[in-house]
Amino acid sequence: MKTHSYSIRRDVGRALVTLLGLGLISASASAGDIIGQITDPLGQSALSGASVTVAETGASATTDPAGRFRFVDLAAGNYTLNVRYIGYDPRSATVDVPASGAESVSISLGSEVVQMEGLVVEGFRAGRSRALQQKENQTNISDIVSADALGNLPDRNVAEGIARLPGVSLSLDQGEGRYVSIRGAEPGLNQVLLDGATMAAPGGRRLGRAVPLDTLSAGQIASVEVIKSVTPDLDANSIGGTVNIKSVSAFDREEGFFAGSFGGNYNESADAYNPEVQATYTTRFGADRTFGLAASASFEKRDYENNAIIASWSPVSYGGATVYVPKEFQINPERGNTERSGVNLNLEYRPDADTQFFFRPNFSVTNRFEDRYENIYSTSTSATNLALTSPTTGTFTGGSRTERRNFRIQQDQTLLNLAAGMKKTLGNVTIEPMATFSSAKEDRVYFNVFQFRNSTGQTGPINFDVTSFVPDKWDVDLTTDTADKYELRRVRFDDGPLNEDTFTAKTDVTWDLAEAWGRSGSLKSGVKFIDRDRKVDLTSYRLVPVGKWTLDAVGFDPAQSGYDGRYTTGPLLNYGRIDNYVAANPSQTTYDAGGSASNSVEDDYDLHEKIYAAYAMGTVTFDRLDILGGVRWERTESEIAAVQARNVDGNDLGYLPLSGSASYDQVLPNLQGVYHFTDTVLLRAAFTETIGRPAYEDASPLSSLDYEKLDSPLDPAYANAGSLEIGNPELGPYESLNFDLSLEWYVRGDGLLSVAWFRKEIDNPIYSYAETQRNVTYDGIAFESLGMSSVRNADSATVSGVELSIYQPFRFLPSPLDGFGIDANLTFIDSSVTVAARPNDDLPFFRQPDQISNVTLFYEKYGFSARIAWNRVSDQLDSLGSAVLDDIYRLAREQYDFQASYRLSEHYSLTASVRNLTEEPEEYSYGIKNLVNTSILLGRDYRLGVNLNF
C-alpha cells in the first residue's frame, strides 16, 4: 500500500515539475493588451474584486487579489475603462492601446465613505466594502468577511468571526468557538481550504472530517469566504459549503506595512488575566521589487473555569401521573487553559504581470490543559428509596451512591500546511499547478483519571427540587459523606497520538475566450489528487485496587460551592496526593490487563484514502446574464483497518483484526447564473450536487463485543446475551441536490439588502442508533439478546430555508448621526429526516437549528468606532436515541458582545471589548425539553488592547 502511494506521489510530482517548467517559458504580451491595477485612494492597497469594463467593446473583467486585470487582443486605438467598487466613487480612464504589445495602467479610485481626516481609512467600513464588492462580482452564492471586519468584534478566531454571517452557526468548546455549521450541515460535511489548499483535520477522536477553525487568529488572514454554492473547480465534499481562508500577500499593497496588536484578556469565571499578541509584516524586495514576503505571527493564552451539571432521568408514578426524577446527577467543576500560537508565511515571486510563483507555509500549535472533577450521584427510584412531596420535589431516602473522579488532561495539537505553486498566463491561457502537504497531529500527552466510589446506600439522604430546568435544589447530607466510605475503583493513564498526513496535487487551466466568442467568457478544466493517511493509536494503562483501600488513606480537598453557588460538590479528590500515593505504594494496585487492552483500541484505526477528481466548466456573459456551468467527477477509494475487542464472561479474549474498504464514484453537475437587472440589483440562481463523506470513525470496523453465557436461556440454541458497539465500513456518502436563489440590492453608499432561498434534498444521511436484536447470530455466536450500537444511512432528508440580510450605514442622516449603521441577518430553516428505526417520528435534520439571528449596531466617526452584537441560534437535535427521551437537543442560545475602539493617531488605536455580556450558559436537554441533560455556565471575558499600523 505505501509503495503504491509513494509511486503515485512521485508520478504526480513529476507532472507538476513539468508544468512548472512550462511556466518558466516567458511570453511577450499579445498585441493590443491592456494590463492594469486598481488601488485605493492613496495608491497603496490593491482592490480585489473591482469591476472593470471596456466601454467600446463591453468586455468586462474582475481584478484578482493583487488588484490586477487584463484585456487581450484589442485593436489599436483609444479605449475607455469604467471602474466600479462598492464604497468608492466610480472612475473612468482613457487608455491608448498600441498596434502591438501591451499598455499598462494604474487607476486609483476616489473615496466616498472610507476616507476620514488625514486620509486614515476606517477599518470596518473599508473591510465591508471590500467584502461586498467581491460578493457582487461572483457568479456563485457566497459571503465574505475581511480581516478588518473580524477585528471589530471580540471574536477570538476565524470560527467566531464567520459565525456572524447568514446561515452559519457555531459549536463551542469550553466557551470558545471551534467548528462551524453552514446552513445546518454539521462541521464534518463542510470543506475547509487555506488559500485553496486542502487542510488536514486535527479534530481529535470522534470528530470525523471536521477542521477546527480556532487554530488561526484574525491577524493571520486577509479574508474568509463562505461559499454556499460551490463551483465545479471546488471539492465536492461540501453539503453545507466551503470555507476558504485567504492569507495576507505582500502584493496586496504597493508598499510594505506592519500591523499588530497587544493586550490583555480577563476571564471573569477564572479570575485570570492573559496576554494576547499578534503581528503582520509585509515587504517587497529584489530587483524591481518582484519578490514579496508576508509574515504573520500570533500568541494568546486563555484561562477558563466552567461549572457544569449533567443529569439523566427515570419515569415514576405520582398521583396516577407519570413524572420524571433524576436517576443520576453530576456536579462537575473544571479549570483549564489554552495556549495558541501560530506563524504564517507567504513568499512570492512575480517577475512580470503574467507570472507568479508562491510558497506558503503555515504552522500553528494549540496546547490545552484541563483539571476536571466529576461528582456523580446515582439514585434509586424504587418506592422504598424515594419519597415525593410533589411532582417535582422529594427526597431520595436510601439506595444512593456517589462516585468521585478527577481528570488531568494535557492535549497538544499541531497543524502544518505547506503549499507551493505558480500561475502563468500565456496569451489567453492561464495555468495554475499547485502541490500541498498538510499534517495534523493531536498528541494526547496524558489523560489521567482517578476514580473512587462508595457503596450503594452510603450517600444521602438527598433532597431535590427539579421544578426548574436547572434543578433548584440538590442537597446531600455531608455529615455522612466521609472519606473512609470511598474506595478506589480504578486508576487510568491514557496517552497516544492521532496523526493525519494529506498530500494534494492539482492543476487548473483557464482559457479566456472573450475574443473567440465575441463576449466575455472562459473555459476552465483541471485535475486533482488527494492522498490521505490517518492513524489513531491510543494507549490505556489501567490499575485496579488490591483489596480495599479508601480515600482517607491519602486525604481529600474540602467541598466547594458549585454552579454559581447553587450546589455543594462534597469532598473533592486531590490529584497530586493520590498520584504520589499510588506511585509510592505499588502493592496497593495491580495492572488491569483486560481493561487496559480493551480501552487501548476503543478508538484506534488506520485509514488510507485516495480521491481522484477532474472537472470542466465554462462561463459566458449574455448582455445582463452571466452563466457558469460544468461537471465534476470524483472517485473515492479507502481502506481502513481496526480490531474487535472481545470479552466473554468478564475475561478478555484479546483482539480480532478487522478491515473494511469502500469505493464510489460521483458525477456532479453544476449550473449557476446571475442576472443584472441593473448595475446594483442582481438575481442569482444555482443548481449544484455535492456529497458528504462518512466520518472516519463511523466508517471504521472498530468494535467491542461483550457477552456472557446464560444459565437458563429461553432457547438453548441461543444461549448468550451481549452488547456490540461497531462502526460501519459499508456506509455510503451523503448525496445532496442543492437549489439556491438570491436577490441582492447593492445600495449606493456600500449598503446591501438581500434575500436568499435554499433547498437541499439529501439521500443517505448518516445517524447513530441503538437497538436490541433477539435470537440472532453474530460472527458465529448465537445470542438470545444482542444490544447493538452502530451507525447507518437513513433514507432521506430535506433542508430548506431563507436568509435575510441588511448592511446599511446611515450616511443619509445629518452629522454626527451619519456614523450609525446596522449589519444584520436572519436565517429561517426547515428540515426533516426519515429514519428507519423511528418511522413515525417527525425529526429535524441532525444538528440543524430552525433559526439563526445576528444583529450588529455600529457607530464609526471621528476616529471612534463602537458596535454591539447579538447572536441567537435556536434548538437543534444533537444526537438521536432509541426513543424520544433519549434524544438530546442543544437548546437555543443567545449572546451579546460589545467592542469599542478609538484611533489615537494614524498609527495607534485603543480597543476595549466585553464578550458574553449576559453570561449565557450552554445547555442541552432530552427530547422532553424540560429535562436537563447538560448545563454549562460561561462567564464574561474582558479585553483591552493597543493596535499598531505602520
Side-chain angles (χ1 to χ4, degrees):
M1 182 67 66
K2 293 292 183 183
T3 302
H4 181 53
S5 172
Y6 290 140
S7 176
I8 292 175
R9 295 183 188 183
R10 183 191 62 230
D11 294 342
V12 172
R14 289 174 176 173
L16 284 172
V17 169
T18 301
L19 288 169
L20 288 169
L22 290 174
L24 295 174
I25 303 173
S26 61
S28 60
S30 301
D33 291 358
I34 299 176
I35 299 174
Q37 185 180 35
I38 309 298
T39 62
D40 69 356
L42 300 178
Q44 295 294 316
S45 296
L47 296 181
S48 172
S51 175
V52 186
T53 304
V54 180
E56 289 76 11
T57 67
S60 62
T62 300
T63 57
D64 65 13
R68 297 187 178 278
F69 66 92
R70 179 188 182 102
F71 295 102
V72 299
D73 293 333
L74 297 173
N78 290 326
Y79 291 88
T80 301
L81 301 181
N82 295 322
V83 184
R84 287 194 312 108
Y85 198 97
I86 292 175
Y88 295 85
D89 291 324
R91 175 84 184 272
S92 296
T94 301
V95 181
D96 185 12
V97 176
S100 62
E103 181 68 15
S104 296
V105 59
S106 179
I107 303 174
S108 296
L109 296 186
S111 176
E112 190 175 61
V113 300
V114 299
Q115 198 171 350
M116 61 175 286
E117 297 89 345
L119 292 178
V120 177
V121 176
E122 293 283 14
F124 181 68
R125 291 197 189 181
R128 286 296 273 138
S129 295
R130 291 171 186 265
L132 292 180
Q133 180 65 40
Q134 294 176 58
K135 175 182 173 70
E136 180 188 19
N137 283 329
Q138 293 185 346
T139 304
N140 62 337
I141 297 171
S142 66
D143 289 295
I144 300 169
V145 60
S146 69
D148 296 329
L150 279 176
N152 280 273
L153 280 168
D155 298 324
R156 299 189 185 103
N157 54 56
V158 172
E160 294 183 350
I162 64 176
R164 312 280 181 183
L165 296 174
V168 180
S169 58
L170 195 64
S171 298
L172 298 179
D173 183 8
Q174 306 298 356
E176 182 176 6
R178 297 200 71 201
Y179 302 94
V180 295
S181 299
I182 303 174
R183 290 179 166 178
E186 59 187 277
L189 300 178
N190 302 312
Q191 186 74 25
V192 177
L193 305 174
L194 180 59
D195 290 313
T198 303
M199 295 178 67
R205 62 176 190 166
R206 300 177 184 174
L207 287 171
R209 299 175 182 269
V211 175
L213 294 177
D214 62 341
T215 56
L216 293 173
S217 70
Q220 294 178 264
I221 67 170
S223 65
V224 184
E225 183 180 11
V226 179
I227 303 168
K228 297 175 178 176
S229 63
V230 298
T231 49
D233 55 343
L234 294 173
D235 293 342
N237 194 80
S238 305
I239 295 289
T242 293
V243 178
N244 187 25
I245 304 167
K246 298 182 180 180
S247 62
V248 176
S249 168
F251 291 89
D252 292 342
R253 296 168 59 100
E254 187 63 27
E255 300 295 333
F257 73 93
F258 172 83
S261 67
F262 62 89
N265 182 80
Y266 172 72
N267 182 270
E268 194 172 56
S269 297
D271 191 22
Y273 296 87
N274 297 130
E276 298 178 4
V277 180
Q278 62 181 40
T280 300
Y281 172 74
T282 71
T283 185
R284 291 167 61 178
F285 57 95
D288 299 322
R289 303 171 67 245
T290 54
F291 287 91
L293 173 66
S296 298
S298 64
F299 171 81
E300 62 177 317
K301 181 180 179 181
R302 184 173 75 91
D303 285 281
Y304 61 85
E305 179 175 322
N306 297 325
N307 277 266
I309 60 165
I310 301 174
S312 58
W313 302 79
S314 285
V316 298
S317 179
Y318 179 79
T322 298
V323 299
Y324 290 87
V325 297
K327 65 180 179 182
E328 184 175 283
F329 191 76
Q330 299 186 32
I331 304 171
N332 299 342
E334 62 185 4
R335 293 183 66 96
N337 62 71
T338 300
E339 288 188 3
R340 183 181 297 112
S341 57
V343 177
N344 186 73
L345 300 177
N346 189 349
L347 179 62
E348 298 174 88
Y349 173 52
R350 300 186 182 185
D352 54 57
D354 296 328
T355 309
Q356 172 186 353
F357 297 90
F358 62 84
F359 176 60
R360 299 178 182 134
N362 174 278
F363 181 72
S364 62
V365 179
T366 302
N367 306 115
R368 299 175 184 272
F369 170 79
E370 186 173 301
D371 187 13
R372 184 171 79 239
Y373 299 95
E374 291 184 358
N375 305 284
I376 307 169
Y377 300 91
S378 301
T379 64
S380 169
T381 59
S382 68
T384 57
N385 293 316
L386 173 63
L388 287 173
T389 54
S390 80
T392 57
T393 61
T395 302
F396 293 106
T397 57
S400 301
R401 74 179 183 196
T402 307
E403 181 167 343
R404 303 194 179 278
R405 302 174 180 175
N406 189 191
F407 293 74
R408 282 287 177 93
I409 303 167
Q410 175 69 48
Q411 180 175 287
D412 299 338
Q413 288 185 342
T414 60
L415 180 60
L416 172 66
N417 292 286
L418 303 174
M422 64 167 293
K423 181 178 180 180
K424 178 66 180 179
T425 299
L426 302 166
N428 65 344
V429 177
T430 300
I431 303 173
E432 298 177 82
M434 181 169 70
T436 66
F437 174 75
S438 182
S439 178
K441 300 183 184 299
E442 179 175 286
D443 182 16
R444 180 179 290 182
V445 182
Y446 54 82
F447 190 106
N448 299 342
V449 189
F450 294 117
Q451 299 172 242
F452 287 79
R453 187 170 69 185
N454 62 19
S455 300
T456 299
Q458 292 187 339
T459 294
I462 303 174
N463 298 311
F464 65 90
D465 182 345
V466 293
T467 305
S468 303
F469 177 76
V470 175
D472 294 312
K473 180 189 294 185
W474 187 267
D475 291 339
V476 182
D477 184 358
L478 296 181
T479 62
T480 64
D481 202 4
T482 54
D484 60 309
K485 295 181 179 180
Y486 285 90
E487 300 174 1
L488 178 68
R489 185 184 178 205
R490 182 181 296 122
V491 176
R492 172 181 165 191
F493 299 114
D494 291 359
D495 58 41
L498 179 156
N499 296 329
E500 178 179 321
D501 292 334
T502 298
F503 171 81
T504 305
K506 71 170 189 173
T507 298
D508 300 300
V509 181
T510 304
W511 294 265
D512 185 344
L513 300 178
E515 289 305 310
W517 288 359
R519 62 182 75 249
S520 295
S522 66
L523 290 176
K524 185 177 182 181
S525 65
V527 295
K528 186 173 184 177
F529 171 68
I530 299 175
D531 190 0
R532 175 177 289 120
D533 285 299
R534 184 178 178 92
K535 185 174 184 179
V536 181
D537 187 14
L538 304 182
T539 300
S540 182
Y541 184 85
R542 296 198 169 199
L543 301 174
V544 292
V546 174
K548 294 183 179 181
W549 59 276
T550 57
L551 188 56
D552 60 341
V554 294
F556 58 90
D557 288 341
Q560 294 181 4
S561 173
Y563 199 85
D564 202 23
R566 185 173 297 193
Y567 318 111
T568 301
T569 63
L572 294 174
L573 306 185
N574 185 301
Y575 181 92
R577 292 180 185 175
I578 300 171
D579 191 34
N580 291 335
Y581 183 85
V582 170
N585 298 273
S587 62
Q588 295 277 43
T589 58
T590 186
Y591 177 62
D592 178 10
S596 298
S598 177
N599 284 274
S600 289
V601 298
E602 66 178 357
D603 291 303
D604 291 359
Y605 61 87
D606 192 349
L607 171 129
H608 184 210
E609 180 178 74
K610 294 180 288 185
I611 300 171
Y612 306 89
Y615 73 91
M617 58 182 281
T619 63
V620 63
T621 298
F622 299 95
D623 192 19
R624 294 184 175 275
L625 176 64
D626 299 330
I627 294 179
L628 181 155
V631 64
R632 184 178 183 90
W633 165 80
E634 287 194 358
R635 176 171 177 80
T636 304
E637 299 177 355
S638 64
E639 296 182 0
I640 189 165
V643 298
Q644 181 188 95
R646 185 170 293 190
N647 189 290
V648 181
D649 295 326
N651 298 313
D652 176 41
L653 295 187
Y655 311 114
L656 300 177
L658 299 175
S659 63
S661 62
S663 62
Y664 42 87
D665 295 78
Q666 277 88 24
V667 177
L668 308 165
N670 194 299
L671 181 62
Q672 307 187 50
V674 53
Y675 184 78
H676 300 254
F677 291 103
T678 68
D679 288 342
T680 58
V681 179
L682 315 177
L683 176 66
R684 303 181 195 273
F687 165 75
T688 60
E689 188 170 349
T690 53
I691 65 170
R693 295 185 179 89
Y696 308 118
E697 296 81 359
D698 289 345
S700 167
L702 182 70
S703 65
S704 176
L705 178 62
D706 297 313
Y707 66 96
E708 61 183 0
K709 296 179 180 179
L710 299 174
D711 294 331
S712 302
L714 298 176
D715 184 344
Y718 298 92
N720 301 282
S723 63
L724 173 67
E725 184 176 347
I726 187 170
N728 185 0
E730 297 182 1
L731 286 173
Y734 295 74
E735 297 177 351
S736 180
L737 293 176
N738 313 300
F739 306 88
D740 292 271
L741 282 174
S742 176
L743 181 63
E744 302 162 7
W745 177 25
Y746 293 84
V747 184
R748 180 173 174 80
D750 77 355
L752 170 67
L753 294 172
S754 70
V755 55
W757 170 86
F758 62 90
R759 179 176 175 84
K760 300 179 183 295
E761 298 181 354
I762 303 171
D763 289 335
N764 304 323
I766 297 169
Y767 71 100
S768 302
Y769 73 96
E771 64 183 14
T772 299
Q773 300 179 2
R774 305 288 181 182
N775 295 342
V776 63
T777 299
Y778 175 80
D779 205 13
I781 304 168
F783 290 93
E784 179 179 286
S785 65
L786 179 63
M788 176 175 286
S789 300
S790 188
V791 288
R792 61 188 174 197
N793 292 107
D795 295 334
S796 62
T798 60
V799 179
S800 58
V802 175
E803 297 171 348
L804 306 174
S805 300
I806 178 174
Y807 169 69
Q808 185 59 62
F810 297 155
R811 293 189 304 104
F812 49 83
L813 296 176
S815 181
L817 300 179
D818 56 347
F820 283 104
I822 186 172
D823 191 358
N825 56 74
L826 177 61
T827 303
F828 298 97
I829 305 175
D830 181 58
S831 65
S832 64
V833 61
T834 301
V835 176
R838 305 267 296 273
N840 299 319
D841 291 346
D842 183 16
L843 298 169
F845 194 54
F846 314 118
R847 300 175 183 89
Q848 168 64 71
D850 294 331
Q851 187 172 318
I852 305 170
S853 308
N854 287 285
V855 178
T856 300
L857 301 177
F858 62 86
Y859 184 83
E860 193 165 75
K861 196 174 179 68
Y862 307 125
F864 175 74
S865 175
R867 49 195 41 82
I868 185 167
W870 171 69
N871 167 267
R872 183 183 185 275
V873 179
S874 65
D875 296 0
Q876 51 190 294
L877 177 60
D878 186 73
S879 63
L880 187 67
S882 57
V884 172
L885 180 60
D886 300 318
D887 296 341
I888 297 177
Y889 284 80
R890 184 188 184 196
L891 296 185
R893 184 177 185 273
E894 59 184 352
Q895 180 169 309
Y896 293 86
D897 304 307
F898 173 78
Q899 181 161 305
S901 63
Y902 181 70
R903 187 175 293 279
L904 301 172
S905 68
E906 182 179 354
H907 300 299
Y908 299 95
S909 64
L910 290 176
T911 300
S913 65
V914 185
R915 175 187 168 84
N916 195 16
L917 276 164
T918 54
E919 298 183 277
E920 296 296 327
E922 182 181 14
E923 296 182 322
Y924 295 79
S925 78
Y926 290 98
I928 300 176
K929 298 293 184 66
N930 65 325
L931 299 181
V932 62
N933 169 266
T934 304
S935 180
I936 306 172
L937 294 182
L938 302 175
R940 281 184 288 257
D941 281 314
Y942 301 85
R943 184 183 182 276
L944 181 65
V946 178
N947 303 314
L948 315 174
N949 192 342
F950 293 93

